[in-house]
Amino acid sequence: MTLFSDRPGDDGLPGHERARVMAAVMTTTLMSVFDGTMINIALPSMAKALRVSADLAVWFSNAYLLSAAMMLAVFAALSIRFGYRRIFLSGLTLFTLSSLGCALSSTPEMLIAMRILQGIGGAATLSIAPAILRSVFPGRLLGRVLGLNALLIAFSTAVAPVLGGTILHALSWQWLFAINIVPGCIALVLAGRALPRQRASTNARFDARFDAPGALLSAVLLGSMIMAANCFTGAQRASGHVSLEFVGWLFLSLASALAFTRQIRRARYPLLPPDMFKNGRFTLAALTSLASFISQGITFVALPFLFQSVYGYSPVASALLFTPWPIGIVLIAPHAGRWADTLSAPLISTLGLGVFVVGLILLATLPASPSAWDIGLRSLACGIGFGCFQSPNNREMLSNVAREHASYASGVLAIVRTFGQCLGAAAVGVILAVMASETHQGLDGRAVHAALWVAVAASAVSVAFSVSRLRKAHRAPA
């Protein structure tokens, strides 16, 4: 394969070593995506087996997301001090062992505790995975390998619900976690043999004290955003008004955001170096990613309501209607990554966003009784557009920072993805709650379509950010 062929002057690792690192990183990514997606379908079964309420069972999923989000920036910074190898192997070990702990859990408290540990381990690997790929692959292949990574995530997203349902039908919910153990051990062996040991750096940053206040503020900021988004799920959204709990979490997130911004500007060795954001192309790529993931987060939450509550499809049929979206990403992402290595990554990602906007407009204008084919084709257009955008934009982010800042860029990439999806989920909750309060009725098609139009607006903002960087890219191509 060309991904593992060597050329004179290539940086990174030799081809055969790149193959082992890529296998370890992508196996770990596959486990994390499966674990985060399959669990949702099992929540009713887990609640029944452990004899808990549905509200408590939601925390079997939320505990993982919350702990992972709170630690993303922390591990990105720690990898600078201790190296990718130590952080990745430690995180993968914790993820694998806590998966075993989840499978052996006999009480809800034990399961939630194991899920928190699993989220911490997942954050350690996911926050630096793109940086590891950049460090071992030459720049000429960066877009291609990021495209394959996007393909893997999309494929996992499409297959995970089906695999989870099959496991639940044949076995117990514990096997949803037990299946991580063997792949986790294989990934540990591959990563232990292939990840290079980093030499001690002469950069003072490696010897500096860790920015503990910045780490704490980062964790509070991301955690409070997740909690604010969680206030608009389930019963709280059904109440039809904005809760005081949501206001409290929102205030905490805004206050911690201001404090965190001040901290990284004043700290000698901040958790995230502000100088990194002085590169206009990196900053615009990050803002483009944030706006696009807000749009995707809105759509991912709104569409199941549209399919099931408005059109009357079953949960299984709803999942099948959604499948064309990840299929579109699978079809286009590898090609988009390859194009980004030889053509203009900002131009390709901007064109992809244009297709994404068109697809969202098609979904927002669905008629009252559309056919399954009509819904599927419109979802496919969204997937093709997002797949064309994602890997070139990720390449743009990683290639516009110095190599020693790659882990920071990787952490920012993970943060804007998580932040965007959480804002999107919260936006849907606010829209549905406000419209239900105004009409004094339950969920109807107008509220869901309004949420989809907000997704269109967010994606249009991402297009504006992306277009604004084309001039910078033309002046100083990557």
Side-chain angles (χ1 to χ4, degrees), residues 59 224 226-233 236 241-253:
W59 279 99
S224 59
I226 296 289
M227 293 301 297
N230 186 60
C231 287
F232 281 96
T233 59
Q236 296 187 62
H241 64 274
V242 177
S243 66
L244 290 176
E245 182 183 358
F246 169 75
V247 174
W249 287 117
L250 181 62
F251 176 80
L252 180 59
S253 64

Side-chain angles (χ1 to χ4, degrees), residues 144-229:
R144 195 172 306 183
V145 71
L146 291 176
L148 289 176
N149 194 52
L151 183 152
L152 177 69
I153 293 173
F155 175 79
S156 304
T157 303
V159 171
V162 179
L163 179 61
T166 303
I167 292 174
L168 283 177
H169 179 73
L171 302 167
S172 64
W173 63 264
Q174 288 89 342
W175 285 96
L176 296 175
F177 302 105
I179 61 172
N180 291 329
I181 298 171
V182 172
C185 292
I186 293 173
L188 273 170
V189 172
L190 290 172
R193 292 180 177 179
L195 281 177
R197 299 180 184 274
Q198 292 172 292
R199 299 177 180 177
S201 175
T202 57
N203 191 322
R205 185 181 301 276
F206 281 81
D207 302 319
R209 295 177 61 186
F210 182 66
D211 182 15
L216 177 62
L217 289 170
S218 168
V220 172
L221 168 61
L222 295 171
S224 59
M225 288 190 302
I226 296 289
M227 293 301 297

Side-chain angles (χ1 to χ4, degrees), residues 63-73 116 118-120 122-123 126 222:
Y64 178 89
L65 177 62
L66 183 63
S67 60
M70 292 176 70
M71 298 300 294
L72 287 171
I116 290 173
Q118 205 179 24
I120 294 173
L126 292 177
L222 295 171

Side-chain angles (χ1 to χ4, degrees), residues 158-465:
V159 171
V162 179
L163 179 61
T166 303
I167 292 174
L168 283 177
H169 179 73
L171 302 167
S172 64
W173 63 264
Q174 288 89 342
W175 285 96
L176 296 175
F177 302 105
I179 61 172
N180 291 329
I181 298 171
V182 172
C185 292
I186 293 173
L188 273 170
V189 172
L190 290 172
R193 292 180 177 179
L195 281 177
R197 299 180 184 274
Q198 292 172 292
R199 299 177 180 177
S201 175
T202 57
N203 191 322
R205 185 181 301 276
F206 281 81
D207 302 319
R209 295 177 61 186
F210 182 66
D211 182 15
L216 177 62
L217 289 170
S218 168
V220 172
L221 168 61
L222 295 171
S224 59
M225 288 190 302
I226 296 289
M227 293 301 297
N230 186 60
C231 287
F232 281 96
T233 59
Q236 296 187 62
R237 181 181 54 231
S239 64
H241 64 274
V242 177
S243 66
L244 290 176
E245 182 183 358
F246 169 75
V247 174
W249 287 117
L250 181 62
F251 176 80
L252 180 59
S253 64
L254 292 175
S256 55
L258 292 174
F260 177 71
T261 302
R262 183 181 181 187
Q263 172 65 22
I264 64 173
R265 287 178 175 175
R266 297 179 61 182
R268 185 178 181 185
Y269 298 108
L271 193 75
L272 290 177
D275 291 346
M276 184 172 63
F277 296 94
K278 292 181 179 179
N279 184 316
R281 292 179 62 177
F282 171 82
T283 301
L284 286 171
L287 291 173
T288 301
S289 186
L290 174 62
S292 66
F293 276 107
I294 291 174
S295 179
Q296 188 196 61
I298 292 172
T299 311
F300 277 16
V301 175
L303 285 182
F305 285 102
L306 181 67
F307 296 156
Q308 297 178 44
S309 301
V310 179
Y311 293 153
Y313 286 100
S314 68
V316 174
S318 177
L320 292 175
L321 287 173
F322 195 77
T323 302
W325 187 308
I327 288 177
I329 297 177
V330 169
L331 291 175
I332 200 67
H335 303 291
R338 186 172 65 250
W339 298 333
D341 286 329
T342 55
L343 303 173
S344 169
L347 178 60
I348 295 169
S349 60
T350 303
L351 293 174
L353 282 174
V355 176
F356 182 53
V357 172
V358 172
L360 288 177
I361 292 174
L362 291 174
L363 286 176
T365 55
L366 276 167
S369 300
S371 66
W373 280 105
D374 190 11
I375 296 173
L377 289 174
R378 298 179 193 222
S379 296
L380 180 65
C382 290
I384 290 175
F386 202 84
C388 190
F389 151 75
Q390 189 175 9
S391 50
N393 191 72
N394 291 351
R395 185 192 191 282
E396 179 76 354
M397 286 185 66
L398 290 173
S399 62
N400 278 285
V401 295
R403 260 188 197 276
E404 58 268 23
H405 286 167
S407 65
Y408 292 124
S410 180
V412 170
L413 195 157
I415 289 168
V416 297
R417 179 178 65 243
T418 304
F419 185 22
Q421 290 172 338
C422 290
L423 282 180
V428 175
V430 171
I431 292 167
L432 298 185
V434 169
M435 294 195 70
S437 178
E438 290 178 351
T439 61
H440 304 287
Q441 297 177 356
L443 179 67
D444 61 14
R446 289 176 298 171
V448 180
H449 282 284
L452 291 174
W453 279 113
V454 174
V456 171
S459 62
V461 171
S462 70
V463 171
F465 282 132

